[in-house]
Amino acid sequence: MKNTTPILNPPHTTFFFFFFFFYILFCSFLFNSTLAKSTTYNVLDFGAIPDGITDSTMAFLTAWNIACASTKPVGIHVPQGHFLLGSATTFRGKCNNKAISITIHGTLVAPYDYRVIGDAGHWLTFDHVSGVTIHGGVLDGQGSSLWDCKNSDTKINCPIGATSLAFNNSDHIVVTGLKSVNSQLFHMIVIGSHNVKVHGVKLIAPGNSPNTDGIHIQFSSHVTILKPRIHTGDDCISIGPGTNNLWIEDVACGPGHGISIGSLGWYLNEPGVENVTVRRATFSKTQNGFRIKSWGRDSKGFVNDIHFEHALMTHVQNPIVIDQNYCPFLNGCPGQASGIKISDVTYKDIRGTSATQVAVKFDCSSTQPCMKIRLEDVKLSYKNQNPRASCAHAGGTALGAVQPESCL
């Protein structure tokens, strides 16, 4: 009988082989992609209670420890509701993965009694973490009773207070859409960290709340802060020693004390601040606009390559100021010449109104005069009078239309 079985010729055989090969690869890709997908843990599953009264600290730490131990990307979900984290809490790093995403839809609440965490330094700390992302949520520091203590006549036994959120010795951090209210001390600090991005945060405390800086950066590099909205009782953003490659853009500040580099120069062997850009900022009824401040004492620190650009001042007491005799309470002032060397600072396209007649003040060190200060297209007004500029030991240039008239 004649054999009717079809015979595959070599081209068909080759096609079938490659089809089967790619089919196996595709199935393997789908399988591996499924394995690589992140697991999400809900803090409710670990005993968190969203009533704002029951302490949920251990539930949050348990979720974090499991996420940190995972070798795959992990998500932590905080649903709506108020969660009391009733003690100073540290989320420790050196995790097995570098992709932990924390999504917060609710509010994390600090203890009402400020004494519980008032001497702890920080309320919520991420220490030695890498690749952590925080999306959304509200942090309520419940700081009003501590402020009352600090603002009282006696100030007896008032702790310094706790910063609401701290990143220590961490890298590749992203914080988006977070809101922090009523912090005891600073709202957020970034210390010894690198490659940090903060986007769209809202930091809010009353104008008379002491030491409630919005964001403080120190000993850190490659930090980007975009579109923060800061209303607080101290510096909206403060930049400490050892900061470099910092980019800040589209800031709304007020009330508050403005954007400050410093205070610097308290220590002799202090690292400098360099390559800082602040672009597009609005200041409303703030104590300062752009400020650089250092103590009057010897130091090897420096400030270099600073760019303040495109800012609008509305009724700001000190729109542009360098103060190298900083001593806020006029008590126990060092009374020496500052050793901080300030150079290459540019103020470009700064406009608006000053609440005082001296709209530009450069009070620099007698032993380390400010050098290469540049004013370009500055237009500041003061009521119906001509504003003034004041200079001491400051050198530089003025370009374009500059008001008040430059004293450099």
Side-chain angles (χ1 to χ4, degrees), residues 3-77:
N3 187 357
T4 60
T5 303
I7 299 175
L8 295 176
N9 57 30
H12 290 146
T13 303
T14 303
F15 173 79
F16 178 79
F17 172 77
F18 278 106
F19 174 81
F20 182 75
F21 176 73
F22 282 112
Y23 176 76
I24 295 298
L25 282 180
F26 179 70
C27 291
S28 177
F29 171 76
L30 289 179
F31 179 73
N32 289 328
S33 297
T34 301
L35 288 179
K37 284 183 178 178
S38 64
T39 301
T40 299
Y41 297 104
N42 191 321
V43 294
L44 296 181
D45 296 334
F46 301 97
I49 307 296
D51 61 2
I53 300 173
T54 306
D55 193 346
S56 296
T57 302
M58 289 309 302
F60 277 72
L61 283 174
T62 301
W64 170 261
N65 290 335
I66 292 174
C68 186
S70 173
T71 57
K72 298 186 299 182
V74 178
I76 297 175
H77 177 67

Side-chain angles (χ1 to χ4, degrees), residues 17-329:
F17 172 77
F18 278 106
F19 174 81
F20 182 75
F21 176 73
F22 282 112
Y23 176 76
I24 295 298
L25 282 180
F26 179 70
C27 291
S28 177
F29 171 76
L30 289 179
F31 179 73
N32 289 328
S33 297
T34 301
L35 288 179
K37 284 183 178 178
S38 64
T39 301
T40 299
Y41 297 104
N42 191 321
V43 294
L44 296 181
D45 296 334
F46 301 97
I49 307 296
D51 61 2
I53 300 173
T54 306
D55 193 346
S56 296
T57 302
M58 289 309 302
F60 277 72
L61 283 174
T62 301
W64 170 261
N65 290 335
I66 292 174
C68 186
S70 173
T71 57
K72 298 186 299 182
V74 178
I76 297 175
H77 177 67
V78 181
Q80 291 184 350
H82 287 69
F83 296 87
L84 173 65
L85 272 69
S87 60
T89 304
T90 299
F91 302 96
R92 302 194 183 279
K94 299 187 177 179
C95 298
N96 290 334
N97 76 87
K98 295 184 179 181
I100 299 177
S101 177
I102 303 171
T103 302
I104 307 173
H105 293 289
T107 299
L108 310 187
V109 182
Y112 177 77
D113 184 350
Y114 61 80
R115 294 169 295 185
V116 175
I117 61 173
D119 289 318
H122 309 139
W123 172 33
L124 305 175
T125 303
F126 289 85
D127 184 56
H128 284 90
V129 303
S130 181
V132 169
T133 301
I134 299 176
H135 302 281
V138 178
L139 306 181
D140 186 354
Q142 299 212 92
S144 60
S145 56
L146 177 58
W147 310 332
D148 291 341
C149 180
K150 289 183 176 182
N151 289 329
S152 66
D153 293 334
T154 57
K155 298 181 177 64
I156 297 176
N157 297 324
C158 300
I160 189 172
T163 291
S164 287
L165 179 63
F167 293 96
N168 291 337
N169 301 303
S170 298
D171 62 85
H172 295 92
I173 304 299
V174 177
V175 180
T176 64
L178 178 71
K179 182 178 181 180
S180 173
V181 299
N182 299 330
S183 58
Q184 287 189 3
L185 200 65
F186 297 2
H187 288 267
M188 182 186 304
I189 63 172
V190 178
I191 305 291
S193 298
H194 312 284
N195 296 302
V196 177
K197 183 176 181 179
V198 179
H199 183 270
V201 298
K202 295 181 180 179
L203 312 175
I204 300 172
N208 64 346
S209 56
N211 309 120
T212 54
D213 295 51
I215 304 173
H216 179 72
I217 308 104
Q218 189 163 321
F219 303 123
S220 298
S221 66
H222 297 94
V223 177
T224 301
I225 301 172
L226 304 175
K227 295 186 177 180
R229 301 295 178 258
I230 305 174
H231 316 269
T232 189
D234 210 298
D235 292 330
C236 289
I237 299 175
S238 56
I239 303 161
T243 300
N244 62 79
N245 296 299
L246 171 63
W247 185 277
I248 302 169
E249 187 169 354
D250 194 7
V251 186
C253 171
H257 293 182
I259 295 177
S260 294
I261 295 176
S263 58
L264 305 176
W266 188 252
Y267 299 103
L268 177 63
N269 295 310
E270 188 176 271
V273 176
E274 61 183 332
N275 191 15
V276 174
T277 297
V278 183
R279 179 172 292 175
R280 295 209 311 271
T282 60
F283 299 88
S284 178
K285 298 181 179 179
T286 53
Q287 184 185 89
N288 308 286
F290 296 122
R291 173 171 60 163
I292 300 173
K293 54 183 177 177
S294 70
W295 293 90
R297 59 190 299 165
D298 192 21
S299 176
K300 297 179 181 179
F302 62 88
V303 177
N304 181 59
D305 191 17
I306 311 297
H307 303 268
F308 298 123
E309 303 175 350
H310 313 304
L312 177 63
M313 312 275 178
T314 303
H315 204 64
V316 173
Q317 293 180 37
N318 305 291
I320 295 174
V321 56
I322 295 177
D323 181 4
Q324 293 206 257
N325 293 289
Y326 177 71
C327 189
F329 303 110

